[in-house]
Short mmCIF file of all heavy atoms in Angstrom, two decimals:
data_model
loop_
_atom_site.label_atom_id
_atom_site.label_comp_id
_atom_site.label_asym_id
_atom_site.label_seq_id
_atom_site.Cartn_x
_atom_site.Cartn_y
_atom_site.Cartn_z
N ALA A 87 -1.66 -10.02 14.91
CA ALA A 87 -0.38 -9.96 14.14
C ALA A 87 -0.29 -8.54 13.60
O ALA A 87 -1.17 -8.00 12.96
CB ALA A 87 -0.52 -10.85 12.96
N ILE A 88 0.81 -7.82 14.05
CA ILE A 88 1.03 -6.45 13.66
C ILE A 88 1.97 -6.41 12.41
O ILE A 88 2.87 -7.25 12.27
CB ILE A 88 1.62 -5.60 14.76
CG1 ILE A 88 1.61 -4.14 14.43
CG2 ILE A 88 2.99 -6.07 15.10
CD1 ILE A 88 0.47 -3.40 14.94
N SER A 89 1.63 -5.47 11.41
CA SER A 89 2.50 -5.46 10.23
C SER A 89 3.88 -4.85 10.71
O SER A 89 3.86 -4.03 11.54
CB SER A 89 1.86 -4.52 9.20
OG SER A 89 1.67 -3.31 9.64
N GLN A 90 4.96 -5.17 9.98
CA GLN A 90 6.18 -4.64 10.45
C GLN A 90 6.44 -3.28 9.64
O GLN A 90 7.33 -2.51 10.05
CB GLN A 90 7.39 -5.65 10.02
CG GLN A 90 7.31 -6.92 10.93
CD GLN A 90 7.32 -6.51 12.36
OE1 GLN A 90 8.22 -5.98 12.90
NE2 GLN A 90 6.17 -6.99 13.10
N GLN A 91 5.78 -3.05 8.57
CA GLN A 91 5.91 -1.77 7.87
C GLN A 91 4.63 -0.96 7.97
O GLN A 91 3.57 -1.64 8.05
CB GLN A 91 6.07 -2.08 6.33
CG GLN A 91 7.43 -2.79 6.03
CD GLN A 91 8.61 -2.03 6.50
OE1 GLN A 91 8.73 -0.84 6.16
NE2 GLN A 91 9.53 -2.66 7.22
N PRO A 92 4.66 0.29 8.05
CA PRO A 92 3.51 1.10 8.11
C PRO A 92 2.60 1.03 6.88
O PRO A 92 3.18 0.82 5.82
CB PRO A 92 3.95 2.48 8.32
CG PRO A 92 5.35 2.51 7.88
CD PRO A 92 5.91 1.14 7.99
N ILE A 93 1.33 1.01 7.14
CA ILE A 93 0.35 0.94 5.98
C ILE A 93 -0.11 2.33 5.56
O ILE A 93 -0.65 2.56 4.57
CB ILE A 93 -0.83 0.19 6.32
CG1 ILE A 93 -1.64 0.73 7.55
CG2 ILE A 93 -0.49 -1.38 6.57
CD1 ILE A 93 -3.04 0.22 7.77
N GLY A 94 0.42 3.35 6.35
CA GLY A 94 -0.01 4.78 5.97
C GLY A 94 0.27 5.65 7.17
O GLY A 94 0.77 5.28 8.23
N TYR A 95 -0.02 6.88 6.91
CA TYR A 95 0.16 8.01 7.83
C TYR A 95 -1.01 8.93 7.82
O TYR A 95 -1.70 9.04 6.84
CB TYR A 95 1.40 8.86 7.42
CG TYR A 95 2.65 8.13 7.37
CD1 TYR A 95 2.99 7.38 6.17
CD2 TYR A 95 3.59 8.01 8.41
CE1 TYR A 95 4.13 6.70 6.06
CE2 TYR A 95 4.73 7.28 8.28
CZ TYR A 95 5.04 6.61 7.13
OH TYR A 95 6.13 5.81 7.09
N PHE A 96 -1.27 9.60 8.95
CA PHE A 96 -2.21 10.63 8.99
C PHE A 96 -1.75 11.71 10.04
O PHE A 96 -0.82 11.34 10.81
CB PHE A 96 -3.63 10.23 9.27
CG PHE A 96 -3.96 9.76 10.67
CD1 PHE A 96 -4.40 10.70 11.61
CD2 PHE A 96 -3.62 8.48 11.06
CE1 PHE A 96 -4.76 10.25 12.94
CE2 PHE A 96 -3.95 8.12 12.33
CZ PHE A 96 -4.51 8.94 13.30
N SER A 97 -2.22 12.93 9.87
CA SER A 97 -1.76 13.98 10.90
C SER A 97 -3.14 14.49 11.50
O SER A 97 -4.17 14.43 10.85
CB SER A 97 -1.02 15.03 10.23
OG SER A 97 -1.67 15.60 9.20
N TYR A 98 -3.00 15.03 12.63
CA TYR A 98 -4.14 15.70 13.36
C TYR A 98 -3.47 16.74 14.32
O TYR A 98 -2.28 16.67 14.69
CB TYR A 98 -4.94 14.68 14.11
CG TYR A 98 -4.32 14.09 15.38
CD1 TYR A 98 -4.74 14.57 16.62
CD2 TYR A 98 -3.33 13.17 15.22
CE1 TYR A 98 -4.16 14.04 17.71
CE2 TYR A 98 -2.76 12.64 16.47
CZ TYR A 98 -3.18 13.12 17.66
OH TYR A 98 -2.65 12.59 18.77
#
Side-chain angles (χ1 to χ4, degrees):
I88 191 96
S89 64
Q90 294 305 301
Q91 297 299 316
I93 60 166
Y95 301 84
F96 73 96
S97 58
Y98 74 103

